Amino acid sequence: MKKELIGTAVPLGALYTKDNPVIGEFPDLKIFADFCKAAGLSIIQLLPVNDTGTQSSPYSGLSAFALNPIYIRISEVEGFSELCQNDPKFKMSYDAFIAANQYCPRYDYDSILSTKIQLLKRIYDETEIGKTGESGEVLSKWIKSNTWVREYSVYKNLKWNYMQASWKTWLESDRHKTKEEIAALWNKKAFKKEHLFYAWLQMIADSQFRDAVEYVHAQGLLLKGDMPILMNEDSADAWACPEVFNQDLRAGSPADGDNLTGQNWGFPTYNWQNLKDDDYRWWKERLTNAAKYYDAYRLDHILGFFRIWAIPEADLNALNGHTEPYAFIKKSELYELGFDDERIRWLSQPHIPTSAIEDITWNHDKAHQILAIFCNKIDGEELWRFAPAVLGSKMIENADLCELCASEAIPRVKKVLIDYWSNRTLLEIAKNKFVPMWTFGSSTAWQTLNQNEKAALSACFDELNSKNEKLWKKQADEIFSAITSAVKMIPCGEDLGVNIECVPKTMEAHNILGLRVVRWCRKWSESGQPFIPFREYTPLSVVTTSVHDSSTLRQWWNDEKESVKAFVSANLNFFTNNEKSENAENTQNAVLQIAQADFSPEIAKAILNASATAKSQWFIPPLQDFLYMDKTLWLNDARNERINIPGTVNEFNWTYRLPCTLEALIENNELINKMKGIKK
């Protein structure tokens, strides 16, 4: 493994040139590689470039294998020039497309994708490929080398015919097809031209990307890709390979201080047992496909290979989730702790008092009518338990209560019911298999236990945690042993916020580089939460100043002054030309003066210089943080320099563009020299 390298991370779509100003495209990597080489960089890290359909998020994959056609350069597609010469309407459409999308602060993903597909379809229809079908020798040969494209193309064509609707809404006959049925559909003459169009798009994208990768390598640079761990539930893989996924579970994260109900990402979890039985073939093929382009890859949410937070598909939030795999408490063990069947029901099934709804409706009978929709009343008590037919909070949220209470009261009623749905101490995942709710300590049942009962259950929970660590390590060892050895790419893992003991040890055992974001590398459990000295960073890691989900360096400096102050105090010598006062008061004054100053190119350079000294093998900050060394490249509003704001879905996210063309960037000798001055 190469060591002590500096690179930069960038979304491909952010790059653009004077002649191709719409969106970054595969060929743009060539001129960007020239810039990186001139600036002394050794690695280009890209966000995922897989097909995401109508979703701008590169982490919402429509395919684990297919490339996003939005990155195809139309002007370099065979047949483009002839069509421009022979069809004035086509040329007019193309010219209008270019004119409408240049000089925009963010790019319009939906519009660009839609127009590009239309223009590419015109080229396809006018070429021999479109007329002669699979007899086109080049395309036929490419398809034979990329067999995944058949299922993908059938899926894409069906999705087009269903007006891009999720495959879960398709007719039953199209929702569930065997491999043999998909193959038969691929070969169906009536759809052959449409299927080949999607295969042709992938061949073009693959050719342009490979050509760019060859150029990047010729400049002596490495290319690092990004491998999202999860697939969209509405993806070609989830549709064509149902055995790979658990469609009845959704991945997410448990409740924490920032997310009181956890996060439900909506992506299906993996059926790791099926994958193991198949020697992890799907994952190996996925990595082998990526290895055509990349020298290294980032495994997103690497914790998910150890354990995933699995949420029932019927639930909205993540509170009723559990880890997969999991150690469990048997019912017999609860008996041994002194809990009988009635007490176990009390711990594992929410009990709702009539008053919880009556306090909102102010009507006893109406409260009964509402509760009767979802619950069964306990004889002789004003207490209810959810009926077996209620599988999750989605049913509560989607219920029509208009005839039973005032419209303004409906959201409050539903919230109370959904809150009670997660008001449990124990969660029964399977018959007589229980795990503690993540939020068990705030449950009504827990509060009613005496100290001895709480102590007994707590000891049981601690034992489960110990068993879980062993299960998680075993699973990750098996997966990493199988998939990381399948390719020569260097594996890296996104392990932010992971505090499970077995994770760093297992990653190290498999030579997987961790991720260190300098602003978050602190000793959080110690007084004052000091920053971890750069010399103490784990060598087997990638250090960076920001990530695509965080604020940029400029935003952090101007908006999070307490964090900035602590960072400056820990690295004062980088801000004062290595001059350090022996006087504590003078030192403190210097820290305050520097930390309170507005962000500047000098500050950006100091932070980058400091971060580059980390013992991590690679230093790969986002391109924006490098550009801050030249104030002419700053946008007026620092917020527009972000790539994504987690927890939001809008046209802003994932549509960042550079503040200048690549031609202007490579001519910026002052910036290039500053970047060359940053050394590991």
Side-chain angles (χ1 to χ4, degrees), residues 3 7 276 287 289 299 338 345 424-425 448 493 549 551 578 594 606 626 639 656 658:
K3 297 183 179 181
K276 181 180 178 180
L287 287 171
N289 187 67
L299 285 170
R345 271 196 302 273
R424 314 167 192 236
T425 299
T448 65
D549 279 338
S551 59
N578 292 312
I594 294 168
F626 275 126
R639 290 173 297 185
Y656 167 74
L658 293 189

Side-chain angles (χ1 to χ4, degrees), residues 542-562:
V542 178
V543 64
T544 184
T545 48
S546 313
V547 292
H548 57 260
D549 279 338
S550 77
S551 59
T552 60
L553 211 51
R554 178 183 171 194
Q555 268 191 299
W556 169 69
W557 183 276
N558 287 335
D559 297 344
E560 300 180 42
K561 285 301 185 183
E562 285 303 310

Side-chain angles (χ1 to χ4, degrees), residues 283-552:
W283 263 100
K284 288 179 178 179
E285 290 177 354
R286 185 182 182 190
L287 287 171
T288 301
N289 187 67
K292 295 187 299 185
Y293 316 113
Y294 304 117
D295 306 286
Y297 62 104
R298 170 187 180 272
L299 285 170
D300 182 49
H301 189 59
I302 200 165
L303 178 60
F305 291 93
F306 292 80
R307 62 92 168 147
I308 202 77
W309 187 252
I311 306 154
E313 194 277 335
D315 270 316
L316 289 169
N317 62 44
L319 288 176
N320 285 52
H322 63 278
T323 64
E324 285 275 351
Y326 61 88
F328 58 88
I329 309 168
K330 298 177 183 177
K331 201 170 190 178
S332 58
E333 293 174 295
L334 291 172
Y335 289 156
E336 291 173 6
L337 293 177
F339 297 100
D340 59 18
D341 286 338
E342 187 174 341
R343 297 294 301 286
I344 293 172
R345 271 196 302 273
W346 172 246
L347 291 169
S348 62
Q349 296 183 30
H351 290 62
I352 312 171
T354 304
S355 59
I357 303 301
E358 190 175 347
D359 287 347
I360 300 173
T361 63
W362 294 101
N363 186 306
H364 183 77
D365 292 337
K366 290 292 185 185
H368 269 237
Q369 291 176 41
I370 292 170
L371 284 164
I373 296 173
F374 309 101
C375 306
N376 295 323
K377 190 173 180 295
I378 299 174
D379 290 342
E381 299 186 62
E382 288 295 335
L383 208 58
W384 305 70
R385 283 197 296 263
F386 282 103
V390 179
L391 301 178
S393 54
K394 284 183 182 178
M395 178 179 174
I396 300 170
E397 182 62 36
N398 296 331
D400 184 1
L401 304 179
C402 293
E403 294 183 4
L404 296 175
C405 62
S407 58
E408 63 272 14
I410 291 175
R412 293 167 58 203
V413 168
K414 289 184 176 181
K415 183 181 185 307
V416 167
L417 289 167
I418 290 173
D419 286 347
Y420 268 100
W421 175 252
S422 301
N423 190 343
R424 314 167 192 236
T425 299
L426 297 175
L427 187 67
E428 188 174 14
I429 298 177
K431 186 174 178 59
N432 295 333
K433 292 182 178 181
F434 299 87
V435 298
M437 283 285 288
W438 188 266
T439 53
F440 70 86
S442 60
S443 66
T444 299
W446 180 262
Q447 306 306 322
T448 65
L449 300 179
N450 62 44
Q451 289 306 313
N452 289 336
E453 290 171 327
K454 287 181 179 179
L457 277 178
S458 294
C460 187
F461 296 168
D462 289 341
E463 186 179 348
L464 284 186
N465 288 335
S466 179
K467 291 179 179 177
N468 275 328
E469 285 253 356
K470 293 176 182 177
L471 283 176
W472 302 338
K473 182 182 185 305
K474 182 176 183 292
Q475 173 171 284
D477 270 329
E478 290 176 350
I479 296 170
F480 293 148
S481 294
I483 70 174
T484 60
S485 61
V487 291
K488 293 182 179 180
M489 292 188 294
I490 298 168
C492 307
E494 185 275 292
D495 55 348
L496 298 178
V498 175
N499 56 3
I500 298 173
E501 186 179 352
C502 67
V503 172
K505 294 178 181 178
T506 305
M507 290 177 64
E508 184 176 358
H510 294 277
N511 291 313
I512 301 173
L513 281 72
L515 180 63
R516 303 292 178 266
V517 183
V518 294
R519 71 182 76 168
W520 298 327
C521 282
R522 304 176 70 165
K523 299 177 182 179
W524 295 104
S525 60
E526 293 186 13
S527 176
Q529 300 176 333
F531 275 86
I532 297 173
F534 287 122
R535 64 181 177 276
E536 295 180 12
Y537 276 36
T538 308
L540 196 69
S541 66
V542 178
V543 64
T544 184
T545 48
S546 313
V547 292
H548 57 260
D549 279 338
S550 77
S551 59
T552 60

Side-chain angles (χ1 to χ4, degrees), residues 173-238:
S173 57
D174 289 329
R175 281 204 306 272
H176 305 292
K177 286 191 177 294
T178 64
K179 299 286 186 184
E180 293 74 20
E181 289 171 333
I182 295 173
L185 199 54
W186 159 261
N187 288 311
K188 196 166 185 177
K189 189 173 181 180
F191 304 134
K192 200 63 177 178
K193 183 178 178 182
E194 286 74 17
H195 292 160
L196 287 175
F197 169 64
Y198 295 106
W200 176 77
L201 285 180
Q202 288 305 308
M203 182 183 71
I204 297 298
D206 175 59
S207 175
Q208 291 191 0
F209 196 12
R210 284 207 199 202
D211 181 56
V213 169
E214 186 177 335
Y215 187 89
V216 169
H217 287 159
Q219 304 313 302
L221 303 175
L222 301 178
L223 194 64
K224 180 183 175 186
D226 198 330
M227 190 75 61
I229 180 176
L230 300 166
M231 296 300 303
N232 196 314
E233 68 170 338
D234 182 26
S235 64
D237 302 86

